[in-house]
Amino acid sequence: MINKNELKYIQSFAHKKHWAEESVFIIEGPKMMEELMASDWVIRQAYATKEWIENQPFKPHYVTEVEAFELDKMTQLHKANQVLALVEKKQAKGPVQLKGKLTLVLDGIQDPGNLGTIIRTADWFGLDQIVVSVDTASCYNPKVVQSTMGSILRVNVIIADLPELLQSTKLPIYGAVLEGKSIQDAVLAKEGVLMIGNESKGIRQPLLSLITDPITIPKYGAAESLNAAVATGILLAKWQH
């Protein structure tokens, strides 16, 4: 059973003011829970149905058994999915390391679904960090967490002063812009920065002037622009080619 105060607390995560200020975020569903339990993230508390608990080799100490109807009252999903956990947020430590890898840099991505898909796509292509501007959607937004399908547990999302960070590197900075070199002709180095801009404004100044290698995805039809997450996937596929 869950008490009324706990239930009220978890339901409050539906509101941005609450989830943005809390030191924990919510993960839901057996698949994400399985990945969470195998990771080094700290689980503060979990609530699960008898069905989920009986499928575990042992009952973790942080799990409270609840009825399905109780979980339905807690869920951020359309329908609850067996288990919900409160997980401690991670604080990024030290300066961002850009050497020896490709780092995805996001300038003002606003849509939570886009950000979640980008995190999941980065994970698919083997990236372990994404650096974002202060005004990018929060990676702990419940919609972002759910749309990453567990990739939030493997990809570090770091908030940084982007102009300051990029001015300090000698690595190539690839920027996705309309007037750039076609990715069909470009060779993307394994070590560098790939920058994706805001959904409507693109990459903003002063970041535009820091791009060393402007690149673009050639257009064959009449669409005005590409979705930011789709563009990221196409560019990362080219990088790993």
Side-chain angles (χ1 to χ4, degrees):
M1 284 288 291
I2 182 169
N3 67 48
K4 282 185 181 176
N5 287 340
E6 286 178 292
L7 180 59
K8 198 172 175 183
Y9 173 70
I10 292 164
Q11 287 173 331
S12 69
F13 278 80
H15 307 289
K16 178 175 180 180
K17 185 178 187 309
H18 193 83
W19 63 250
E21 292 174 355
E22 282 299 308
S23 60
V24 293
F25 67 103
I26 287 176
I27 270 183
E28 296 192 59
K31 184 183 176 297
M32 287 181 72
M33 188 66 183
E34 184 182 337
E35 295 193 33
L36 176 62
M37 291 167 71
S39 74
D40 63 352
W41 289 73
V42 177
I43 302 169
R44 183 86 58 84
Q45 182 66 44
Y47 304 89
T49 60
K50 185 176 182 181
E51 177 191 2
W52 183 86
I53 292 169
E54 287 179 346
N55 280 327
Q56 305 311 306
F58 61 92
K59 181 184 173 185
H61 66 87
Y62 46 73
V63 173
T64 298
E65 183 179 329
V66 293
E67 297 292 336
F69 77 88
E70 292 179 299
L71 207 58
D72 279 337
K73 289 180 181 176
M74 295 185 236
T75 186
Q76 307 275 317
L77 309 175
H78 293 303
K79 180 143 181 67
N81 192 3
Q82 296 186 42
V83 60
L84 177 151
L86 298 174
V87 187
E88 290 185 11
K89 293 176 180 175
K90 283 189 177 180
Q91 301 298 323
K93 295 172 188 161
V96 180
Q97 295 297 326
L98 297 177
K99 289 195 170 182
K101 62 180 79 179
L102 182 74
T103 297
L104 196 55
V105 167
L106 306 180
D107 178 30
I109 295 292
Q110 299 291 301
D111 183 79
N114 272 345
L115 179 59
T117 303
I118 288 171
I119 294 169
R120 187 177 172 187
T121 304
D123 187 22
W124 177 269
F125 285 107
L127 274 65
D128 64 1
Q129 73 178 10
I130 296 175
V131 182
V132 303
S133 61
V134 175
D135 61 345
T136 289
S138 168
C139 67
Y140 295 119
N141 180 318
K143 290 178 183 172
V144 174
V145 173
Q146 209 57 38
S147 60
T148 70
M149 299 294 285
S151 293
I152 187 72
L153 304 172
R154 290 180 292 275
V155 179
N156 290 324
V157 180
I158 306 160
I159 300 169
D161 180 320
L162 298 187
E164 185 181 310
L165 174 70
L166 298 181
Q167 281 166 354
S168 70
T169 184
K170 301 277 195 298
L171 296 174
I173 299 171
Y174 301 99
V177 293
L178 288 174
E179 304 297 324
K181 186 174 185 179
S182 167
I183 59 158
Q184 294 179 347
D185 304 319
V187 177
L188 305 189
K190 291 298 176 188
E191 185 183 42
V193 170
L194 173 60
M195 187 160 31
I196 307 291
N198 172 273
E199 289 93 343
S200 58
K201 299 173 185 154
I203 297 169
R204 301 166 293 184
Q205 287 290 3
L207 295 174
L208 267 177
S209 56
L210 297 175
I211 295 169
T212 61
D213 296 79
I215 54 175
T216 196
I217 299 166
K219 178 170 97 164
Y220 300 97
E224 189 182 318
S225 62
L226 264 179
N227 172 276
V230 171
T232 303
I234 293 169
L235 293 169
L236 289 180
K238 170 65 178 175
W239 171 71
Q240 281 290 33
H241 181 60

